[in-house]
Amino acid sequence: MKRRLINQETGELEDKSVIKSVTIDCVIFGFQDGKLEVLLIKHALGIKKGEWGLPGGWIKKEEGIDLAANRLLKELTGLGDIYLEQLKAFGDPNRFPEGRIITIGYYALINKEKYDIKAGFTASEASWFKLEEIPELIYDHNEILNFSLKKLRHRVKHAPIGFNLLPEKFTLLQLMQLYEEILGLKMDKPNFRRKFLKMKLLVDLKEKEKDVSHRAAKLYKFDDRIYQKLTEKGFSFEF
Amino acid sequence: MKRRLINQETGELEDKSVIKSVTIDCVIFGFQDGKLEVLLIKHALGIKKGEWGLPGGWIKKEEGIDLAANRLLKELTGLGDIYLEQLKAFGDPNRFPEGRIITIGYYALINKEKYDIKAGFTASEASWFKLEEIPELIYDHNEILNFSLKKLRHRVKHAPIGFNLLPEKFTLLQLMQLYEEILGLKMDKPNFRRKFLKMKLLVDLKEKEKDVSHRAAKLYKFDDRIYQKLTEKGFSFEF
DNA sequence: TATACTTGTAGTCATATCTACTATAAGATT
DNA sequence: AATCTTATAGTAGATATGACTACAAGTATA
């Protein structure tokens, strides 16, 4: 079934506010209970009703693609100021059976504790999936998701972006477990501490965890201004 | 001047063979006399006549974007089997004043000794530019080029792709100078040798340079199959 | 109150890696 | 034969890494 793009009366493209051939799809990562999670939505309408896929949408005609991705994220989750980065364009001619549509993939990192994402999804059902539980997705969304994972794994080693998945205040063990989960390996606590603290990227909050049934650990936060300053001096984050 | 997209008789999109709103632009890198170079073309027609820009073109309707990039490269330079990788999509609404066009950037690495690229450009003038000599380019092509440089600098440290810019047989000094030029730093010859040879990525060709006015250096080549095998064993290229 | 248990944090040590060198070899040029 | 250029080998101190031990600070349990 081909969609009708032309308005027969005016002879023009219908709905001039969007470019019909380019969409945005977004992989939204969260982190909970030591596990990386991805937010998926269940399509409520159309041919793919009932199937899971990545949240996404159209780009408006006069809107930059980064802006469009931010807007979509805001519409879907109700929040802005989120770590968001473009993956690449996906343009296999058969990726979308109903027509030639190119999609630009993005991925976002959010702090689940801070927001209740699912509240933003009114029309369609939304749910978090751990990596092992991800079902078969519509179109090429599994490919986009796998690409985003590869990108995230690479990026997290070369830029201090992991913090975006954690609460503002976190312990070194939480940070280490985040790295272990994303990179899929086991690390040594003392060595991890030393390596990370040596970078002097973290602010010691002089606070401790509360309500834990063991010795409370120090809390730290990441300060982007410190990172910027270090970067200017030639520092380059490598893990 | 807005282009007419609608055929008034049929009520359909004109020229169904291309998606009018998405193009491809390609940064082609070469390496000569120790310097990184970029291939630019001078526009022969249209508003931008006489100005320099990146080679590019339209994506055909039934063509994947990677395939389209390869086809364009072949049309422009007359050769295939070239290292080519997508950068990302550039979609500022004002990037192209004559209408909303999204471009997907690619970058290619070619061995200049092997081919005479400029022969492929019949219609428009093409020329190599060293990095310091790059003029102001049309649209957002300077931004695309700068992005490609950042990507190349990063990629060359994490994957053995630099070889694509060198002749098939090369000396360790040539390789080192390539790295020095791309990364913009000075290196130590003995240390570079040791580090690179330790990876066991290079094939010692048991040959030496000829017609040099000094002690001839050993020639090496890069063998992708060796790299694949090492990768399977867990090796990861880092420089 | 004492003991075990869990997690945090400090320190040790052998090994590998990086960096800045020096030294020598192999040719070509004068 | 002396000299110059570049290739290639080696060396030694500094630094980083990885595997470990030890102990501290709490909570839970006996």
Side-chain angles (χ1 to χ4, degrees):
Chain A
M1 186 196 80
K2 275 213 173 175
R3 207 187 315 235
R4 297 280 297 284
L5 290 176
I6 313 304
N7 181 317
Q8 296 297 96
E9 290 177 297
T10 63
E12 295 208 18
L13 282 171
E14 272 183 356
D15 190 358
K16 292 171 76 175
S17 66
V18 294
I19 296 168
K20 287 278 185 186
S21 52
V22 183
T23 63
I24 283 178
D25 286 313
C26 190
V27 184
I28 302 175
F29 286 105
F31 184 68
Q32 190 152 55
D33 304 327
K35 289 286 186 182
L36 204 55
E37 297 182 342
V38 175
L39 187 72
L40 300 175
I41 64 167
K42 190 188 253 178
H43 282 229
L45 301 166
I47 311 171
K48 295 293 184 181
K49 185 174 171 179
E51 294 185 52
W52 292 93
L54 298 173
W58 301 98
I59 301 169
K60 290 187 181 171
K61 195 162 190 178
E62 300 298 337
E63 183 182 48
I65 53 177
D66 287 351
L67 265 178
N70 268 294
R71 172 182 55 79
L72 285 164
L73 204 56
K74 181 126 197 173
E75 286 174 14
L76 293 167
T77 66
L79 38 92
D81 196 28
I82 283 184
Y83 183 86
L84 186 65
E85 194 187 349
Q86 190 190 127
L87 295 167
K88 68 164 188 169
F90 294 81
D92 187 282
N94 305 314
R95 63 172 293 276
F96 191 76
E98 293 114 272
R100 179 67 196 275
I101 293 191
I102 289 171
T103 193
I104 303 173
Y106 278 78
Y107 75 107
L109 306 181
I110 76 147
N111 163 7
K112 278 187 71 179
E113 285 204 359
K114 204 166 170 184
Y115 309 103
D116 181 12
I117 295 303
K118 288 164 73 174
F121 291 86
T122 46
S124 38
E125 188 184 342
S127 183
W128 289 100
F129 287 80
K130 298 200 193 315
L131 291 185
E132 316 86 58
E133 297 165 354
I134 286 170
E136 193 165 322
L137 305 179
I138 55 172
Y139 312 131
D140 57 353
H141 286 192
N142 285 102
E143 182 192 344
I144 297 174
L145 202 156
N146 288 336
F147 187 90
S148 76
L149 256 175
K150 259 176 52 186
K151 180 101 172 184
L152 172 61
R153 288 187 173 128
H154 190 263
R155 206 88 178 81
V156 87
K157 287 162 79 174
H158 302 285
I161 61 168
F163 310 102
N164 293 292
L165 289 163
L166 293 176
E168 201 166 338
K169 302 174 179 185
F170 51 85
T171 70
L172 284 173
L173 186 60
Q174 284 176 300
L175 186 61
M176 185 180 99
Q177 285 167 344
L178 175 68
Y179 273 83
E180 286 185 333
E181 164 72 1
I182 294 179
L183 299 175
L185 42 81
K186 280 286 163 204
M187 292 173 174
D188 177 272
K189 270 194 287 179
N191 292 342
F192 181 90
R193 296 178 67 69
R194 205 172 3 163
K195 194 165 171 184
F196 228 106
L197 290 177
K198 197 176 44 183
M199 296 192 221
K200 299 189 183 303
L201 267 180
L202 300 182
V203 180
D204 182 344
L205 290 169
K206 312 282 183 193
E207 276 181 76
K208 293 194 169 182
E209 289 180 296
K210 279 172 186 150
D211 303 318
V212 285
S213 69
H214 53 77
R215 174 176 172 184
K218 270 190 187 176
L219 289 170
Y220 294 87
K221 71 168 186 174
F222 170 69
D223 187 333
D224 195 60
R225 285 169 303 180
I226 297 179
Y227 174 60
Q228 295 304 333
K229 274 192 187 166
L230 286 172
T231 303
E232 284 165 25
K233 288 184 194 163
F235 166 82
S236 145
F237 183 92
E238 291 279 326
F239 198 82
Chain B
M1 186 198 79
K2 274 215 171 172
R3 207 186 316 238
R4 296 283 296 283
L5 290 175
I6 313 303
N7 181 317
Q8 296 298 95
E9 290 176 301
T10 64
E12 294 208 18
L13 283 171
E14 272 183 357
D15 190 359
K16 292 170 75 175
S17 66
V18 294
I19 297 168
K20 287 279 184 185
S21 52
V22 184
T23 63
I24 283 177
D25 286 311
C26 191
V27 183
I28 302 175
F29 286 105
F31 184 68
Q32 191 152 55
D33 305 325
K35 287 287 184 181
L36 204 55
E37 296 181 342
V38 175
L39 188 71
L40 299 174
I41 64 167
K42 190 189 256 180
H43 282 232
L45 301 166
I47 310 170
K48 295 293 184 181
K49 184 174 173 181
E51 295 185 50
W52 293 95
L54 298 172
W58 302 97
I59 302 168
K60 290 185 181 171
K61 194 163 190 178
E62 301 298 338
E63 184 182 48
I65 54 178
D66 287 350
L67 265 177
N70 269 293
R71 172 182 55 78
L72 285 164
L73 203 56
K74 180 127 199 173
E75 285 174 13
L76 292 167
T77 66
L79 39 93
D81 197 26
I82 283 184
Y83 182 84
L84 186 65
E85 195 188 349
Q86 189 191 129
L87 296 167
K88 68 164 189 168
F90 294 82
D92 186 281
N94 305 313
R95 63 171 293 277
F96 191 75
E98 292 114 272
R100 178 69 196 273
I101 293 190
I102 289 172
T103 194
I104 302 174
Y106 277 78
Y107 76 106
L109 305 181
I110 77 147
N111 163 6
K112 278 186 71 178
E113 285 203 0
K114 204 165 168 184
Y115 310 103
D116 181 11
I117 296 300
K118 288 165 72 175
F121 291 85
T122 46
S124 38
E125 189 184 341
S127 183
W128 290 99
F129 289 79
K130 298 201 193 315
L131 290 186
E132 317 85 58
E133 298 165 353
I134 286 169
E136 193 164 324
L137 305 179
I138 56 172
Y139 312 131
D140 57 353
H141 286 192
N142 285 100
E143 182 192 343
I144 298 174
L145 202 156
N146 288 336
F147 186 90
S148 76
L149 256 176
K150 260 175 53 187
K151 179 101 172 185
L152 173 61
R153 288 188 173 128
H154 190 264
R155 204 90 178 79
V156 86
K157 287 163 77 173
H158 302 285
I161 62 168
F163 310 104
N164 294 292
L165 289 162
L166 293 176
E168 201 165 341
K169 302 173 178 184
F170 52 85
T171 70
L172 284 172
L173 186 60
Q174 284 176 301
L175 186 60
M176 185 180 98
Q177 285 167 344
L178 175 67
Y179 272 83
E180 287 185 333
E181 165 72 2
I182 293 178
L183 299 175
L185 42 82
K186 281 286 163 201
M187 293 172 172
D188 178 273
K189 269 195 285 181
N191 292 341
F192 182 91
R193 297 178 67 70
R194 206 177 352 184
K195 193 166 172 184
F196 228 106
L197 290 175
K198 197 176 43 183
M199 297 191 222
K200 300 190 182 302
L201 268 180
L202 300 182
V203 180
D204 182 342
L205 289 168
K206 313 279 182 196
E207 277 181 75
K208 292 193 170 185
E209 289 179 294
K210 278 171 187 151
D211 304 317
V212 285
S213 68
H214 53 77
R215 173 176 172 185
K218 272 191 187 175
L219 289 171
Y220 294 87
K221 72 167 184 174
F222 170 69
D223 187 335
D224 195 61
R225 285 169 303 181
I226 297 178
Y227 174 59
Q228 295 303 335
K229 274 193 185 163
L230 286 173
T231 303
E232 285 164 24
K233 288 184 194 163
F235 167 81
S236 147
F237 182 92
E238 291 280 325
F239 198 83

